Amino acid sequence: MNATATDSNAITGRVFNFSAGPAAMPAPVLKQLQEELLCLPGAGASLMELSHRGQVFTDILHDAEGTIRALYGISDDYAVLFLQGGAALQFSMIPANLIRGNGKTAQYLVTGSWAKKALGEAKKEGNVEVIYDAKDSNYDHVPSPSDYKVREDAAYLYHCSNETIQGVQFGEEPACPAGVPLVCDASSDLLSRPLEINKYGILYACAQKNAGPAGVTVVIIRRDLLDHAPADLAGYMTYKNHADNDSMWNTPPTFAVWALGKVARWLADDIGGLEAMQKINEQKAKRLYDVIDSHREFYLGHAKAEYRSKMNVTFNLPSDELLGKFVKEAAANELASLKGHRSIGGIRASIYNAMPREGVEALASFMTDFASKNG
Amino acid sequence: MNATATDSNAITGRVFNFSAGPAAMPAPVLKQLQEELLCLPGAGASLMELSHRGQVFTDILHDAEGTIRALYGISDDYAVLFLQGGAALQFSMIPANLIRGNGKTAQYLVTGSWAKKALGEAKKEGNVEVIYDAKDSNYDHVPSPSDYKVREDAAYLYHCSNETIQGVQFGEEPACPAGVPLVCDASSDLLSRPLEINKYGILYACAQKNAGPAGVTVVIIRRDLLDHAPADLAGYMTYKNHADNDSMWNTPPTFAVWALGKVARWLADDIGGLEAMQKINEQKAKRLYDVIDSHREFYLGHAKAEYRSKMNVTFNLPSDELLGKFVKEAAANELASLKGHRSIGGIRASIYNAMPREGVEALASFMTDFASKNG
């Protein structure tokens, strides 16, 4: 097995895991979780066994929140919530809280599979308009501000900052009138780079890309948006309940929050913060895109160059036969989970925060070698 | 620290943890989770890092489901789902799927705090009737079949089989006409004793009492009930989506499902199944209730004797001073988390599956000693 599979933290049996999510986690975090799994020091029990109302877990939750607030400089104008149900439940919670029953209209930018799914759920809750849809170009780009026009009275403008399936990413926030809350599915983006939270109304992310294990979703929401929910909205779906109770309106997913807090702490202390993380991520992505660009006839990149995702590098090969061979030989070289999403096929190399440079280097070398042998 | 704190699996630093949930987990399960946390044998990565669509996790999920099906003899007429959002989301999902927009009426038995909360959410979704409420006796019992009458055309009859806060438990299922689906919050009951699943329409449980860590909820639902949801119901709230996709309509909480599967396997293999578990649990509960009954002036049991919970033993002491002293001295004896729920005070000893007999014995001895010194 790969001696460098987890950077400076080699663990026997681990390979380079390019899974799109649940995805690789930082090895130092996994080691800490393992060390403390049976008995959290001083607590007399595993973190999983502790009441969420006790001081130990309350401190852990507040620490996770505090670390995220510090990383992004999030002001008290925003609540930071830890919820369950993944991005899928957010697809419904956002319109249920902001447009159900009030006659307002939400506007959507559709740049790939995830924005499309969110749109489908929003239509059930109220008035929705699509003001940009990249389907005619098979979702190979995101729009420029001149490509769409947001209504001044829109309930919100929705977008997905990084489409993991197509591998396209917004380099900066969409253009949005001052009075319109900008809503962002940052599931595969949050913690991977700096973002100006003040530009957003709601920014959310399921954890299982850059932030931790599946089972917890971070929702950063401007507090004035907590008051729009209809009175008959399901309690769990009402953001205000969670905000008023510090994410403990009901039992939070305590283990996942614990792990997420450790990932955030690793990012702050070991990596050095979001700018440092962004730089590493950009270097990793560049390494792979450079190989693709050096073999344009062989590696067929999906995204237009200027909209390429730093998180999910998507490309195809000249034939299904070569595609199968690539996946098989990569796996034999301990480069795992490279098959593209079942909806579009091809190859997808997800290189989130926890993918070490060594893993990217190993994949880049393999790709160069594979192209020279098969191209 | 208590050498026997985890039965035959002593782990340094662990105490006897009587938390009501998240609650103690079986030590052999925690050890397995720890051993495999960094790298699942043969998988090349931690379970937390694997795609939920891959064969490894799919097998784990199916195995967890299969073990629960085998323990309860659940037929193919039922789907077994692993969801997020806890019991709190089920409070809304049940009425949203079964009464929203169809004019039918659901009936509720209110036997404590949890049934009451479920009722509150159901009222938002459609027509609801309370046909029994034990509030006048401060929720110290559950009703007999002669105490209520269920409509033949009810959408469902709802009850909570064990009220963790008050410590009252249904010994057997409520009386329910053949055509009315019986719905049960078995959050603190499932896996603690045999149940005849065929008597239920929906039986659900958040995991963090007897079944695993917080973050996953088991929903056992008769398949004919999957077809009642309104078309505009949020995708995540629609049971049919989860049933049609084998609990992978969206990313499930993979770590929690993994841990839950191990707990179910421990119950089947190490304990010997549900009858064996029930017997142990009854013995543990009897040991504590016997101490209470031997000191009737000192330990003031909350529940009427015949409705006492086998899971949550609730009682008070003659004064707040003695109550505080009890909690403090118990903690000094490594008997942790005995304070009652903040809503009713007193003492609550939660003795779910994973609380070893030694823990109950230690508490019983402490109680006898405390009463003789302070009574």
Side-chain angles (χ1 to χ4, degrees):
Chain A
M1 295 279 169
N2 244 309
T4 54
T6 52
D7 209 352
S8 57
N9 298 275
I11 297 166
T12 308
R14 285 171 63 85
V15 299
F16 290 123
N17 170 24
F18 294 91
S19 173
M25 286 176 60
V29 169
L30 290 175
K31 285 191 166 184
Q32 276 183 43
L33 293 174
Q34 186 183 43
E35 277 166 22
E36 299 173 358
L37 198 84
L38 293 183
C39 191
L40 196 67
S46 173
L47 180 280
M48 283 183 267
E49 303 173 300
L50 298 177
S51 168
H52 55 295
R53 307 259 172 222
Q55 196 62 48
V56 175
F57 179 73
T58 306
D59 286 350
I60 283 170
L61 186 140
H62 288 159
D63 189 61
E65 179 185 337
T67 308
I68 291 170
R69 283 189 181 276
L71 281 166
Y72 278 106
I74 301 170
S75 78
D76 282 346
D77 293 343
Y78 290 80
V80 177
L81 310 177
F82 301 107
L83 305 184
Q84 296 184 62
L89 188 55
Q90 295 308 308
F91 295 166
S92 296
M93 278 178 70
I94 291 160
N97 277 266
L98 298 183
I99 60 171
R100 189 191 284 182
N102 67 12
K104 293 184 80 174
T105 297
Q107 298 194 306
Y108 278 67
L109 301 175
V110 180
T111 52
S113 305
W114 295 111
K116 203 172 163 185
K117 285 200 181 196
L119 172 71
E121 292 298 331
K123 284 177 179 170
K124 299 177 182 174
E125 303 293 343
N127 301 332
V128 176
E129 280 174 12
V130 175
I131 54 172
Y132 192 83
D133 192 325
K135 70 174 174 232
D136 289 343
S137 65
N138 203 19
Y139 299 115
D140 66 354
H141 69 286
V142 304
S144 301
S146 58
D147 294 335
Y148 56 88
K149 176 98 180 75
V150 183
R151 294 161 62 138
E152 296 282 342
D153 64 348
Y156 59 88
L157 172 65
Y158 185 99
H159 72 298
C160 174
S161 58
N162 181 66
E163 289 280 359
T164 57
I165 293 177
Q166 285 79 16
V168 295
Q169 188 168 24
F170 279 87
E172 53 188 47
E173 290 80 10
C176 188
V180 176
L182 179 63
V183 174
C184 179
D185 175 357
S187 289
S188 45
D189 229 10
L190 189 72
L191 298 189
S192 79
R193 58 171 174 165
L195 292 167
E196 271 194 68
I197 300 297
N198 283 335
K199 292 187 174 174
Y200 296 87
I202 301 176
L203 184 136
Y204 72 91
C206 58
Q208 66 264 24
K209 316 288 187 181
N210 286 302
V216 61
T217 299
V218 180
V219 178
I220 303 169
I221 179 169
R222 220 174 57 211
R223 293 189 192 276
D224 63 289
L225 298 175
L226 298 171
D227 300 320
H228 296 258
D232 66 350
L233 183 58
Y236 194 89
M237 294 185 73
T238 305
Y239 288 121
K240 189 170 165 51
N241 286 337
H242 301 290
D244 286 352
N245 291 280
D246 235 1
S247 296
M248 292 202 271
W249 181 72
N250 71 331
T251 310
T254 54
F255 176 85
V257 170
W258 183 45
L260 182 145
K262 285 183 185 295
V263 171
R265 175 63 55 201
W266 165 82
L267 180 54
D269 294 350
D270 293 13
I271 299 297
L274 294 165
E275 283 81 7
M277 191 75 253
Q278 180 178 38
K279 196 172 165 194
I280 295 169
N281 285 332
E282 284 177 351
Q283 289 167 345
K284 292 188 304 188
K286 182 173 188 303
R287 182 71 178 91
L288 296 183
Y289 287 120
D290 282 352
V291 175
I292 290 172
D293 290 341
S294 304
H295 304 82
R296 284 177 191 277
E297 306 294 310
F298 191 72
Y299 292 122
L300 316 166
H302 178 80
K304 283 188 188 161
E306 61 195 295
Y307 309 107
R308 283 170 167 172
S309 168
K310 309 289 191 294
M311 297 281 104
N312 314 92
V313 178
T314 55
F315 57 95
N316 215 326
L317 281 94
S319 71
D320 284 352
E321 195 192 336
L322 281 169
L323 180 66
K325 194 176 177 193
F326 182 97
V327 172
K328 198 176 163 189
E329 292 189 10
N333 282 275
E334 293 169 6
L335 304 167
S337 298
L338 283 161
K339 263 178 92 167
H341 190 269
R342 61 211 147 88
S343 64
I344 68 162
I347 297 289
R348 170 171 53 170
S350 296
I351 49 172
Y352 302 118
N353 287 358
M355 172 55 63
R357 293 177 210 253
E358 290 84 347
V360 170
E361 193 52 46
L363 175 58
S365 298
F366 170 79
M367 286 172 68
T368 304
D369 189 50
F370 188 86
S372 75
K373 283 179 183 157
N374 298 280
Chain B
M1 295 281 169
N2 245 308
T4 54
T6 52
D7 207 353
S8 58
N9 299 277
I11 298 164
T12 308
R14 284 171 64 86
V15 299
F16 290 123
N17 170 23
F18 294 90
S19 172
M25 285 177 62
V29 169
L30 291 174
K31 285 190 166 183
Q32 276 183 42
L33 293 173
Q34 186 183 43
E35 276 165 23
E36 299 173 357
L37 197 84
L38 292 183
C39 190
L40 195 66
S46 173
L47 180 281
M48 281 183 271
E49 302 173 301
L50 297 177
S51 167
H52 56 296
R53 308 257 171 225
Q55 197 60 48
V56 175
F57 179 73
T58 306
D59 287 349
I60 283 171
L61 186 140
H62 288 158
D63 189 61
E65 180 185 336
T67 308
I68 291 170
R69 283 188 181 275
L71 283 165
Y72 278 107
I74 301 171
S75 78
D76 282 346
D77 294 343
Y78 290 80
V80 177
L81 310 176
F82 300 108
L83 306 183
Q84 296 184 63
L89 188 55
Q90 295 307 308
F91 296 166
S92 296
M93 277 178 71
I94 291 161
N97 278 266
L98 299 183
I99 60 172
R100 188 192 286 182
N102 67 12
K104 294 184 81 175
T105 298
Q107 297 193 307
Y108 277 66
L109 301 175
V110 180
T111 52
S113 304
W114 295 112
K116 202 171 163 184
K117 286 202 181 194
L119 172 72
E121 292 298 331
K123 284 177 177 168
K124 298 178 183 174
E125 303 293 343
N127 301 331
V128 176
E129 279 173 13
V130 176
I131 55 172
Y132 192 83
D133 193 325
K135 69 172 174 235
D136 289 343
S137 65
N138 202 18
Y139 299 114
D140 65 356
H141 70 285
V142 303
S144 303
S146 58
D147 294 336
Y148 56 87
K149 176 98 181 75
V150 183
R151 295 162 62 138
E152 296 282 341
D153 64 347
Y156 60 87
L157 173 63
Y158 185 98
H159 73 298
C160 175
S161 59
N162 181 67
E163 289 280 359
T164 57
I165 293 177
Q166 285 79 16
V168 295
Q169 189 168 24
F170 279 87
E172 53 189 48
E173 289 80 10
C176 187
V180 176
L182 179 62
V183 175
C184 179
D185 175 358
S187 289
S188 46
D189 230 9
L190 190 74
L191 297 189
S192 79
R193 58 170 174 164
L195 292 167
E196 273 194 66
I197 300 297
N198 283 335
K199 292 186 174 175
Y200 296 87
I202 301 175
L203 184 136
Y204 72 91
C206 58
Q208 65 265 22
K209 317 288 187 179
N210 286 302
V216 60
T217 299
V218 180
V219 178
I220 304 170
I221 179 168
R222 220 174 57 212
R223 292 189 192 275
D224 62 288
L225 298 175
L226 298 171
D227 300 319
H228 297 258
D232 66 350
L233 182 58
Y236 195 88
M237 294 186 74
T238 305
Y239 289 121
K240 191 171 164 48
N241 286 337
H242 300 291
D244 286 353
N245 291 281
D246 237 1
S247 296
M248 292 202 271
W249 181 72
N250 70 330
T251 310
T254 55
F255 176 86
V257 171
W258 184 46
L260 183 144
K262 286 185 184 293
V263 171
R265 177 62 56 201
W266 164 83
L267 180 55
D269 295 349
D270 293 13
I271 299 297
L274 294 165
E275 283 80 7
M277 192 75 253
Q278 180 178 38
K279 199 173 161 191
I280 294 168
N281 285 332
E282 285 178 351
Q283 289 167 347
K284 291 188 306 189
K286 183 172 187 303
R287 183 71 179 91
L288 296 183
Y289 286 121
D290 282 351
V291 174
I292 291 173
D293 290 341
S294 303
H295 304 83
R296 285 178 190 277
E297 306 294 310
F298 191 73
Y299 291 124
L300 315 167
H302 178 80
K304 283 187 186 161
E306 60 194 295
Y307 308 106
R308 282 169 167 172
S309 168
K310 309 290 190 294
M311 297 283 102
N312 314 92
V313 178
T314 53
F315 57 95
N316 215 327
L317 279 95
S319 71
D320 283 353
E321 194 192 337
L322 281 169
L323 180 68
K325 194 177 178 194
F326 182 99
V327 172
K328 196 174 165 189
E329 292 189 9
N333 282 275
E334 293 169 9
L335 304 167
S337 298
L338 284 161
K339 264 179 91 167
H341 190 269
R342 60 213 148 88
S343 64
I344 67 163
I347 296 290
R348 171 170 53 171
S350 296
I351 50 173
Y352 302 117
N353 289 356
M355 171 56 64
R357 294 176 211 255
E358 291 84 349
V360 169
E361 192 52 45
L363 175 58
S365 299
F366 170 80
M367 285 172 70
T368 304
D369 190 52
F370 189 85
S372 75
K373 284 181 184 156
N374 299 280

